[in-house]
Amino acid sequence: MVGNLLLRGMLAGLLAGILVFAFAHAFGEPLVDAAIAFEEASAQAAGEAAEPEIVSRATQAGPGLFIGVMAYSIAVGGLFALAFAFVHGRVSNLSARGTSAVIAIFAFVAIVLVPAFKYPANPPAVGNAETIGVRTELFFLMIVVSLAALTAAVALSRRLSERFGHWNGAIIAGIAYLVFIGLVLYLLPPINEVPENFSAMVLWRFRTTTLAMHAILWATLGLGFGVLAEKRLAAEGGQRSRPATALR
């Protein structure tokens, strides 16, 4: 069963990857080109030599983007299926589609939305090359902390629901999650390396486009995998009921 769900998660990731690539190629790559043009103009104004182009922009925006997006989406789809296999029927009584949708929403909030509040995505020409290691570590730390806090909030909600009811338990746990995340966002060091003359419109559109790409990914996984998993689980249930029916 887990293997079948894993395959379906990867298929949902494949579909999500195609949609994300189409969106990124249409709306994201023009913003990357604008940021690169700004970077080249700044270097020329400073009298710096142009860096050699190891990989052409056509390759980066075409095959390179497609391979990267597809590999990431399929891998995330597989992990999504494993998370579904662990959660479904254990944490709640939701249907397969409901469980899939809830996992996708929680994952988008914990992995994408919360870290983006503190460390949003930046286009080329934004960010100091000397601090890339620190910035990467802080970003992944934010993801780990957010996921751990969300897991703790779900466990707290289940415990509180026994005393205060499901809705009240979920609300209290949600407030606790927001308070904790707010404290973490306050304590972690801020990073602002945007050049003063960089286009605010390009920066804003790049960050919103990045969020939209993740939203497409998780929405497709949540909805698409839910349909595939529901059909597989229904078929599995039908196969198990047939011997008992035949004996009657």
mmCIF file of all heavy atoms in Angstrom, residues 49-101:
data_model
loop_
_atom_site.group_PDB
_atom_site.id
_atom_site.type_symbol
_atom_site.label_atom_id
_atom_site.label_comp_id
_atom_site.label_asym_id
_atom_site.label_seq_id
_atom_site.Cartn_x
_atom_site.Cartn_y
_atom_site.Cartn_z
ATOM 1 N N ALA A 49 34.717 43.783 -14.533
ATOM 2 C CA ALA A 49 34.645 42.955 -15.739
ATOM 3 C C ALA A 49 33.443 42.029 -15.656
ATOM 4 O O ALA A 49 33.080 41.550 -14.582
ATOM 5 C CB ALA A 49 35.927 42.131 -15.891
ATOM 6 N N ALA A 50 32.824 41.809 -16.796
ATOM 7 C CA ALA A 50 31.661 40.931 -16.842
ATOM 8 C C ALA A 50 32.068 39.490 -16.565
ATOM 9 O O ALA A 50 33.109 39.023 -17.050
ATOM 10 C CB ALA A 50 30.978 41.032 -18.200
ATOM 11 N N GLU A 51 31.276 38.779 -15.774
ATOM 12 C CA GLU A 51 31.572 37.394 -15.464
ATOM 13 C C GLU A 51 31.267 36.517 -16.671
ATOM 14 O O GLU A 51 30.277 36.735 -17.373
ATOM 15 C CB GLU A 51 30.743 36.925 -14.264
ATOM 16 C CG GLU A 51 31.069 37.662 -12.980
ATOM 17 C CD GLU A 51 30.279 37.122 -11.811
ATOM 18 O OE1 GLU A 51 29.498 36.161 -12.016
ATOM 19 O OE2 GLU A 51 30.437 37.652 -10.692
ATOM 20 N N PRO A 52 32.111 35.511 -16.928
ATOM 21 C CA PRO A 52 31.852 34.640 -18.084
ATOM 22 C C PRO A 52 30.579 33.828 -17.888
ATOM 23 O O PRO A 52 30.279 33.373 -16.776
ATOM 24 C CB PRO A 52 33.094 33.731 -18.112
ATOM 25 C CG PRO A 52 33.626 33.759 -16.711
ATOM 26 C CD PRO A 52 33.323 35.136 -16.187
ATOM 27 N N GLU A 53 29.824 33.661 -18.955
ATOM 28 C CA GLU A 53 28.566 32.913 -18.895
ATOM 29 C C GLU A 53 28.865 31.438 -19.123
ATOM 30 O O GLU A 53 29.056 30.986 -20.247
ATOM 31 C CB GLU A 53 27.596 33.444 -19.944
ATOM 32 C CG GLU A 53 26.204 32.868 -19.834
ATOM 33 C CD GLU A 53 25.249 33.448 -20.854
ATOM 34 O OE1 GLU A 53 25.554 33.352 -22.057
ATOM 35 O OE2 GLU A 53 24.224 34.018 -20.450
ATOM 36 N N ILE A 54 28.890 30.671 -18.045
ATOM 37 C CA ILE A 54 29.182 29.244 -18.146
ATOM 38 C C ILE A 54 28.007 28.494 -18.769
ATOM 39 O O ILE A 54 28.188 27.610 -19.612
ATOM 40 C CB ILE A 54 29.504 28.678 -16.751
ATOM 41 C CG1 ILE A 54 30.720 29.406 -16.155
ATOM 42 C CG2 ILE A 54 29.779 27.175 -16.826
ATOM 43 C CD1 ILE A 54 31.060 28.989 -14.741
ATOM 44 N N VAL A 55 26.807 28.828 -18.321
ATOM 45 C CA VAL A 55 25.585 28.229 -18.881
ATOM 46 C C VAL A 55 24.731 29.359 -19.436
ATOM 47 O O VAL A 55 24.475 30.351 -18.752
ATOM 48 C CB VAL A 55 24.800 27.446 -17.806
ATOM 49 C CG1 VAL A 55 23.537 26.836 -18.413
ATOM 50 C CG2 VAL A 55 25.675 26.367 -17.185
ATOM 51 N N SER A 56 24.285 29.227 -20.671
ATOM 52 C CA SER A 56 23.519 30.285 -21.313
ATOM 53 C C SER A 56 22.180 30.484 -20.617
ATOM 54 O O SER A 56 21.633 29.561 -19.999
ATOM 55 C CB SER A 56 23.290 29.960 -22.794
ATOM 56 O OG SER A 56 22.447 28.832 -22.926
ATOM 57 N N ARG A 57 21.633 31.698 -20.737
ATOM 58 C CA ARG A 57 20.338 31.990 -20.132
ATOM 59 C C ARG A 57 19.238 31.143 -20.769
ATOM 60 O O ARG A 57 18.276 30.746 -20.102
ATOM 61 C CB ARG A 57 20.011 33.472 -20.311
ATOM 62 C CG ARG A 57 20.575 34.361 -19.243
ATOM 63 C CD ARG A 57 19.954 34.067 -17.889
ATOM 64 N NE ARG A 57 18.514 34.309 -17.880
ATOM 65 C CZ ARG A 57 17.648 33.615 -17.154
ATOM 66 N NH1 ARG A 57 18.060 32.612 -16.397
ATOM 67 N NH2 ARG A 57 16.364 33.904 -17.182
ATOM 68 N N ALA A 58 19.366 30.856 -22.069
ATOM 69 C CA ALA A 58 18.364 30.027 -22.733
ATOM 70 C C ALA A 58 18.311 28.635 -22.119
ATOM 71 O O ALA A 58 17.231 28.065 -21.913
ATOM 72 C CB ALA A 58 18.663 29.940 -24.226
ATOM 73 N N THR A 59 19.493 28.101 -21.791
ATOM 74 C CA THR A 59 19.540 26.785 -21.155
ATOM 75 C C THR A 59 19.012 26.848 -19.735
ATOM 76 O O THR A 59 18.292 25.959 -19.273
ATOM 77 C CB THR A 59 20.976 26.248 -21.154
ATOM 78 O OG1 THR A 59 21.449 26.170 -22.514
ATOM 79 C CG2 THR A 59 21.053 24.867 -20.523
ATOM 80 N N GLN A 60 19.369 27.908 -19.013
ATOM 81 C CA GLN A 60 18.898 28.056 -17.642
ATOM 82 C C GLN A 60 17.377 28.190 -17.587
ATOM 83 O O GLN A 60 16.715 27.553 -16.745
ATOM 84 C CB GLN A 60 19.532 29.293 -17.004
ATOM 85 C CG GLN A 60 21.034 29.204 -16.802
ATOM 86 C CD GLN A 60 21.607 30.489 -16.255
ATOM 87 O OE1 GLN A 60 20.899 31.332 -15.727
ATOM 88 N NE2 GLN A 60 22.906 30.660 -16.410
ATOM 89 N N ALA A 61 16.814 29.014 -18.449
ATOM 90 C CA ALA A 61 15.376 29.275 -18.424
ATOM 91 C C ALA A 61 14.561 28.160 -19.060
ATOM 92 O O ALA A 61 13.343 28.104 -18.848
ATOM 93 C CB ALA A 61 15.072 30.592 -19.137
ATOM 94 N N GLY A 62 15.211 27.284 -19.829
ATOM 95 C CA GLY A 62 14.499 26.197 -20.498
ATOM 96 C C GLY A 62 14.763 24.850 -19.858
ATOM 97 O O GLY A 62 14.130 24.496 -18.852
ATOM 98 N N PRO A 63 15.703 24.073 -20.409
ATOM 99 C CA PRO A 63 15.961 22.736 -19.866
ATOM 100 C C PRO A 63 16.406 22.743 -18.398
ATOM 101 O O PRO A 63 15.995 21.874 -17.622
ATOM 102 C CB PRO A 63 17.070 22.205 -20.782
ATOM 103 C CG PRO A 63 16.948 22.990 -22.030
ATOM 104 C CD PRO A 63 16.484 24.346 -21.630
ATOM 105 N N GLY A 64 17.240 23.699 -18.034
ATOM 106 C CA GLY A 64 17.704 23.737 -16.650
ATOM 107 C C GLY A 64 16.569 23.942 -15.665
ATOM 108 O O GLY A 64 16.465 23.245 -14.647
ATOM 109 N N LEU A 65 15.705 24.907 -15.957
ATOM 110 C CA LEU A 65 14.552 25.160 -15.089
ATOM 111 C C LEU A 65 13.620 23.959 -15.057
ATOM 112 O O LEU A 65 13.129 23.576 -13.983
ATOM 113 C CB LEU A 65 13.802 26.397 -15.590
ATOM 114 C CG LEU A 65 12.522 26.762 -14.838
ATOM 115 C CD1 LEU A 65 12.832 27.134 -13.400
ATOM 116 C CD2 LEU A 65 11.789 27.903 -15.543
ATOM 117 N N PHE A 66 13.378 23.351 -16.225
ATOM 118 C CA PHE A 66 12.459 22.218 -16.286
ATOM 119 C C PHE A 66 12.974 21.042 -15.455
ATOM 120 O O PHE A 66 12.222 20.454 -14.666
ATOM 121 C CB PHE A 66 12.277 21.783 -17.742
ATOM 122 C CG PHE A 66 11.357 20.604 -17.912
ATOM 123 C CD1 PHE A 66 9.985 20.785 -17.876
ATOM 124 C CD2 PHE A 66 11.864 19.333 -18.089
ATOM 125 C CE1 PHE A 66 9.129 19.710 -18.025
ATOM 126 C CE2 PHE A 66 11.024 18.248 -18.235
ATOM 127 C CZ PHE A 66 9.648 18.433 -18.205
ATOM 128 N N ILE A 67 14.247 20.710 -15.614
ATOM 129 C CA ILE A 67 14.811 19.568 -14.875
ATOM 130 C C ILE A 67 14.792 19.835 -13.378
ATOM 131 O O ILE A 67 14.426 18.968 -12.572
ATOM 132 C CB ILE A 67 16.241 19.274 -15.362
ATOM 133 C CG1 ILE A 67 16.217 18.770 -16.805
ATOM 134 C CG2 ILE A 67 16.918 18.244 -14.464
ATOM 135 C CD1 ILE A 67 17.587 18.609 -17.425
ATOM 136 N N GLY A 68 15.178 21.046 -12.975
ATOM 137 C CA GLY A 68 15.193 21.371 -11.552
ATOM 138 C C GLY A 68 13.812 21.325 -10.927
ATOM 139 O O GLY A 68 13.613 20.751 -9.854
ATOM 140 N N VAL A 69 12.834 21.925 -11.611
ATOM 141 C CA VAL A 69 11.466 21.960 -11.084
ATOM 142 C C VAL A 69 10.878 20.554 -11.022
ATOM 143 O O VAL A 69 10.237 20.172 -10.026
ATOM 144 C CB VAL A 69 10.583 22.887 -11.937
ATOM 145 C CG1 VAL A 69 9.120 22.708 -11.584
ATOM 146 C CG2 VAL A 69 10.996 24.337 -11.741
ATOM 147 N N MET A 70 11.087 19.762 -12.066
ATOM 148 C CA MET A 70 10.508 18.422 -12.098
ATOM 149 C C MET A 70 11.129 17.528 -11.028
ATOM 150 O O MET A 70 10.418 16.771 -10.348
ATOM 151 C CB MET A 70 10.697 17.801 -13.480
ATOM 152 C CG MET A 70 9.957 18.515 -14.594
ATOM 153 S SD MET A 70 8.176 18.658 -14.305
ATOM 154 C CE MET A 70 7.705 16.946 -14.300
ATOM 155 N N ALA A 71 12.442 17.584 -10.872
ATOM 156 C CA ALA A 71 13.095 16.761 -9.854
ATOM 157 C C ALA A 71 12.603 17.128 -8.461
ATOM 158 O O ALA A 71 12.304 16.253 -7.631
ATOM 159 C CB ALA A 71 14.612 16.923 -9.947
ATOM 160 N N TYR A 72 12.502 18.421 -8.203
ATOM 161 C CA TYR A 72 12.028 18.875 -6.892
ATOM 162 C C TYR A 72 10.579 18.469 -6.654
ATOM 163 O O TYR A 72 10.224 17.957 -5.583
ATOM 164 C CB TYR A 72 12.178 20.392 -6.801
ATOM 165 C CG TYR A 72 11.656 20.986 -5.512
ATOM 166 C CD1 TYR A 72 12.425 20.948 -4.351
ATOM 167 C CD2 TYR A 72 10.391 21.583 -5.462
ATOM 168 C CE1 TYR A 72 11.946 21.488 -3.165
ATOM 169 C CE2 TYR A 72 9.915 22.127 -4.281
ATOM 170 C CZ TYR A 72 10.692 22.080 -3.143
ATOM 171 O OH TYR A 72 10.210 22.605 -1.972
ATOM 172 N N SER A 73 9.719 18.671 -7.644
ATOM 173 C CA SER A 73 8.298 18.393 -7.481
ATOM 174 C C SER A 73 8.033 16.909 -7.292
ATOM 175 O O SER A 73 7.212 16.514 -6.446
ATOM 176 C CB SER A 73 7.520 18.915 -8.696
ATOM 177 O OG SER A 73 7.686 20.304 -8.854
ATOM 178 N N ILE A 74 8.706 16.068 -8.052
ATOM 179 C CA ILE A 74 8.508 14.622 -7.912
ATOM 180 C C ILE A 74 8.999 14.144 -6.554
ATOM 181 O O ILE A 74 8.353 13.310 -5.894
ATOM 182 C CB ILE A 74 9.224 13.874 -9.057
ATOM 183 C CG1 ILE A 74 8.532 14.190 -10.391
ATOM 184 C CG2 ILE A 74 9.217 12.373 -8.808
ATOM 185 C CD1 ILE A 74 9.252 13.631 -11.596
ATOM 186 N N ALA A 75 10.139 14.666 -6.105
ATOM 187 C CA ALA A 75 10.661 14.286 -4.794
ATOM 188 C C ALA A 75 9.714 14.721 -3.681
ATOM 189 O O ALA A 75 9.425 13.956 -2.744
ATOM 190 C CB ALA A 75 12.049 14.891 -4.583
ATOM 191 N N VAL A 76 9.216 15.951 -3.768
ATOM 192 C CA VAL A 76 8.271 16.437 -2.762
ATOM 193 C C VAL A 76 6.984 15.619 -2.800
ATOM 194 O O VAL A 76 6.384 15.327 -1.758
ATOM 195 C CB VAL A 76 7.980 17.935 -2.980
ATOM 196 C CG1 VAL A 76 6.846 18.403 -2.082
ATOM 197 C CG2 VAL A 76 9.224 18.755 -2.700
ATOM 198 N N GLY A 77 6.545 15.236 -4.007
ATOM 199 C CA GLY A 77 5.364 14.397 -4.122
ATOM 200 C C GLY A 77 5.542 13.059 -3.424
ATOM 201 O O GLY A 77 4.609 12.563 -2.772
ATOM 202 N N GLY A 78 6.724 12.470 -3.537
ATOM 203 C CA GLY A 78 6.986 11.219 -2.834
ATOM 204 C C GLY A 78 6.961 11.387 -1.323
ATOM 205 O O GLY A 78 6.378 10.572 -0.595
ATOM 206 N N LEU A 79 7.590 12.448 -0.838
ATOM 207 C CA LEU A 79 7.566 12.721 0.597
ATOM 208 C C LEU A 79 6.146 13.021 1.081
ATOM 209 O O LEU A 79 5.765 12.634 2.193
ATOM 210 C CB LEU A 79 8.483 13.903 0.909
ATOM 211 C CG LEU A 79 9.983 13.676 0.667
ATOM 212 C CD1 LEU A 79 10.766 14.962 0.900
ATOM 213 C CD2 LEU A 79 10.512 12.564 1.583
ATOM 214 N N PHE A 80 5.377 13.697 0.249
ATOM 215 C CA PHE A 80 3.986 13.995 0.586
ATOM 216 C C PHE A 80 3.197 12.705 0.767
ATOM 217 O O PHE A 80 2.391 12.570 1.694
ATOM 218 C CB PHE A 80 3.372 14.847 -0.521
ATOM 219 C CG PHE A 80 1.980 15.331 -0.226
ATOM 220 C CD1 PHE A 80 1.777 16.524 0.430
ATOM 221 C CD2 PHE A 80 0.874 14.580 -0.615
ATOM 222 C CE1 PHE A 80 0.489 16.976 0.712
ATOM 223 C CE2 PHE A 80 -0.404 15.032 -0.344
ATOM 224 C CZ PHE A 80 -0.605 16.228 0.319
ATOM 225 N N ALA A 81 3.416 11.746 -0.130
ATOM 226 C CA ALA A 81 2.718 10.466 -0.036
ATOM 227 C C ALA A 81 3.096 9.716 1.239
ATOM 228 O O ALA A 81 2.246 9.098 1.885
ATOM 229 C CB ALA A 81 3.034 9.617 -1.265
ATOM 230 N N LEU A 82 4.365 9.761 1.617
ATOM 231 C CA LEU A 82 4.802 9.097 2.846
ATOM 232 C C LEU A 82 4.165 9.758 4.065
ATOM 233 O O LEU A 82 3.746 9.064 5.006
ATOM 234 C CB LEU A 82 6.323 9.140 2.947
ATOM 235 C CG LEU A 82 7.091 8.353 1.873
ATOM 236 C CD1 LEU A 82 8.595 8.523 2.071
ATOM 237 C CD2 LEU A 82 6.715 6.871 1.909
ATOM 238 N N ALA A 83 4.085 11.082 4.056
ATOM 239 C CA ALA A 83 3.428 11.787 5.155
ATOM 240 C C ALA A 83 1.949 11.407 5.227
ATOM 241 O O ALA A 83 1.395 11.212 6.313
ATOM 242 C CB ALA A 83 3.585 13.295 4.986
ATOM 243 N N PHE A 84 1.310 11.300 4.070
ATOM 244 C CA PHE A 84 -0.094 10.897 4.032
ATOM 245 C C PHE A 84 -0.272 9.492 4.593
ATOM 246 O O PHE A 84 -1.207 9.238 5.370
ATOM 247 C CB PHE A 84 -0.605 10.962 2.595
ATOM 248 C CG PHE A 84 -2.001 10.434 2.425
ATOM 249 C CD1 PHE A 84 -3.089 11.279 2.557
ATOM 250 C CD2 PHE A 84 -2.223 9.096 2.114
ATOM 251 C CE1 PHE A 84 -4.378 10.799 2.397
ATOM 252 C CE2 PHE A 84 -3.506 8.608 1.958
ATOM 253 C CZ PHE A 84 -4.586 9.457 2.098
ATOM 254 N N ALA A 85 0.600 8.574 4.196
ATOM 255 C CA ALA A 85 0.493 7.198 4.667
ATOM 256 C C ALA A 85 0.638 7.112 6.184
ATOM 257 O O ALA A 85 0.011 6.275 6.836
ATOM 258 C CB ALA A 85 1.554 6.334 3.989
ATOM 259 N N PHE A 86 1.446 7.992 6.750
ATOM 260 C CA PHE A 86 1.639 7.993 8.204
ATOM 261 C C PHE A 86 0.469 8.638 8.935
ATOM 262 O O PHE A 86 0.062 8.172 10.006
ATOM 263 C CB PHE A 86 2.938 8.731 8.553
ATOM 264 C CG PHE A 86 3.182 8.842 10.025
ATOM 265 C CD1 PHE A 86 3.661 7.764 10.742
ATOM 266 C CD2 PHE A 86 2.914 10.026 10.700
ATOM 267 C CE1 PHE A 86 3.885 7.869 12.112
ATOM 268 C CE2 PHE A 86 3.126 10.143 12.058
ATOM 269 C CZ PHE A 86 3.616 9.043 12.774
ATOM 270 N N VAL A 87 -0.111 9.690 8.362
ATOM 271 C CA VAL A 87 -1.132 10.475 9.062
ATOM 272 C C VAL A 87 -2.529 9.910 8.874
ATOM 273 O O VAL A 87 -3.331 9.902 9.814
ATOM 274 C CB VAL A 87 -1.085 11.942 8.567
ATOM 275 C CG1 VAL A 87 -2.284 12.733 9.090
ATOM 276 C CG2 VAL A 87 0.214 12.592 9.012
ATOM 277 N N HIS A 88 -2.853 9.442 7.661
ATOM 278 C CA HIS A 88 -4.229 9.071 7.349
ATOM 279 C C HIS A 88 -4.744 7.966 8.273
ATOM 280 O O HIS A 88 -4.141 6.909 8.410
ATOM 281 C CB HIS A 88 -4.323 8.598 5.901
ATOM 282 C CG HIS A 88 -5.725 8.287 5.469
ATOM 283 N ND1 HIS A 88 -6.743 9.212 5.511
ATOM 284 C CD2 HIS A 88 -6.287 7.138 4.990
ATOM 285 C CE1 HIS A 88 -7.868 8.664 5.083
ATOM 286 N NE2 HIS A 88 -7.615 7.411 4.757
ATOM 287 N N GLY A 89 -5.857 8.238 8.909
ATOM 288 C CA GLY A 89 -6.477 7.277 9.799
ATOM 289 C C GLY A 89 -5.917 7.257 11.202
ATOM 290 O O GLY A 89 -6.468 6.572 12.075
ATOM 291 N N ARG A 90 -4.854 8.005 11.435
ATOM 292 C CA ARG A 90 -4.247 8.031 12.766
ATOM 293 C C ARG A 90 -4.517 9.342 13.496
ATOM 294 O O ARG A 90 -4.813 9.340 14.686
ATOM 295 C CB ARG A 90 -2.731 7.814 12.663
ATOM 296 C CG ARG A 90 -2.326 6.433 12.192
ATOM 297 C CD ARG A 90 -0.814 6.278 12.219
ATOM 298 N NE ARG A 90 -0.380 4.935 11.867
ATOM 299 C CZ ARG A 90 -0.088 4.553 10.643
ATOM 300 N NH1 ARG A 90 -0.189 5.433 9.631
ATOM 301 N NH2 ARG A 90 0.288 3.310 10.390
ATOM 302 N N VAL A 91 -4.385 10.450 12.780
ATOM 303 C CA VAL A 91 -4.533 11.762 13.411
ATOM 304 C C VAL A 91 -5.984 12.219 13.411
ATOM 305 O O VAL A 91 -6.442 12.865 14.353
ATOM 306 C CB VAL A 91 -3.639 12.801 12.704
ATOM 307 C CG1 VAL A 91 -3.843 14.188 13.297
ATOM 308 C CG2 VAL A 91 -2.176 12.381 12.810
ATOM 309 N N SER A 92 -6.734 11.905 12.351
ATOM 310 C CA SER A 92 -8.124 12.340 12.269
ATOM 311 C C SER A 92 -8.924 11.310 11.489
ATOM 312 O O SER A 92 -8.381 10.343 10.943
ATOM 313 C CB SER A 92 -8.217 13.706 11.586
ATOM 314 O OG SER A 92 -7.896 13.592 10.214
ATOM 315 N N ASN A 93 -10.221 11.523 11.424
ATOM 316 C CA ASN A 93 -11.120 10.641 10.684
ATOM 317 C C ASN A 93 -11.499 11.223 9.322
ATOM 318 O O ASN A 93 -12.515 10.829 8.755
ATOM 319 C CB ASN A 93 -12.387 10.390 11.505
ATOM 320 C CG ASN A 93 -12.092 9.643 12.790
ATOM 321 O OD1 ASN A 93 -11.233 8.758 12.837
ATOM 322 N ND2 ASN A 93 -12.808 9.996 13.854
ATOM 323 N N LEU A 94 -10.715 12.133 8.815
ATOM 324 C CA LEU A 94 -11.005 12.736 7.523
ATOM 325 C C LEU A 94 -10.850 11.711 6.403
ATOM 326 O O LEU A 94 -10.141 10.709 6.537
ATOM 327 C CB LEU A 94 -10.055 13.912 7.266
ATOM 328 C CG LEU A 94 -10.229 15.154 8.144
ATOM 329 C CD1 LEU A 94 -9.111 16.147 7.860
ATOM 330 C CD2 LEU A 94 -11.587 15.804 7.904
ATOM 331 N N SER A 95 -11.527 11.979 5.297
ATOM 332 C CA SER A 95 -11.377 11.133 4.122
ATOM 333 C C SER A 95 -9.984 11.297 3.534
ATOM 334 O O SER A 95 -9.199 12.158 3.966
ATOM 335 C CB SER A 95 -12.438 11.498 3.084
ATOM 336 O OG SER A 95 -12.216 12.830 2.614
ATOM 337 N N ALA A 96 -9.691 10.499 2.522
ATOM 338 C CA ALA A 96 -8.377 10.602 1.877
ATOM 339 C C ALA A 96 -8.171 11.985 1.263
ATOM 340 O O ALA A 96 -7.098 12.583 1.386
ATOM 341 C CB ALA A 96 -8.234 9.523 0.812
ATOM 342 N N ARG A 97 -9.211 12.507 0.608
ATOM 343 C CA ARG A 97 -9.095 13.843 0.015
ATOM 344 C C ARG A 97 -8.935 14.910 1.096
ATOM 345 O O ARG A 97 -8.149 15.843 0.948
ATOM 346 C CB ARG A 97 -10.330 14.145 -0.831
ATOM 347 C CG ARG A 97 -10.443 13.315 -2.093
ATOM 348 C CD ARG A 97 -11.535 13.856 -2.996
ATOM 349 N NE ARG A 97 -11.721 13.018 -4.173
ATOM 350 C CZ ARG A 97 -12.488 13.343 -5.202
ATOM 351 N NH1 ARG A 97 -13.151 14.497 -5.186
ATOM 352 N NH2 ARG A 97 -12.611 12.541 -6.237
ATOM 353 N N GLY A 98 -9.684 14.775 2.180
ATOM 354 C CA GLY A 98 -9.579 15.747 3.266
ATOM 355 C C GLY A 98 -8.217 15.722 3.915
ATOM 356 O O GLY A 98 -7.621 16.770 4.190
ATOM 357 N N THR A 99 -7.714 14.525 4.177
ATOM 358 C CA THR A 99 -6.382 14.402 4.784
ATOM 359 C C THR A 99 -5.318 14.992 3.880
ATOM 360 O O THR A 99 -4.422 15.720 4.325
ATOM 361 C CB THR A 99 -6.057 12.930 5.064
ATOM 362 O OG1 THR A 99 -7.049 12.375 5.937
ATOM 363 C CG2 THR A 99 -4.692 12.787 5.709
ATOM 364 N N SER A 100 -5.409 14.703 2.584
ATOM 365 C CA SER A 100 -4.438 15.225 1.628
ATOM 366 C C SER A 100 -4.470 16.742 1.579
ATOM 367 O O SER A 100 -3.419 17.409 1.557
ATOM 368 C CB SER A 100 -4.716 14.641 0.245
ATOM 369 O OG SER A 100 -3.804 15.132 -0.715
ATOM 370 N N ALA A 101 -5.677 17.309 1.577
ATOM 371 C CA ALA A 101 -5.811 18.770 1.523
ATOM 372 C C ALA A 101 -5.255 19.424 2.785
ATOM 373 O O ALA A 101 -4.552 20.448 2.708
ATOM 374 C CB ALA A 101 -7.276 19.152 1.332
#
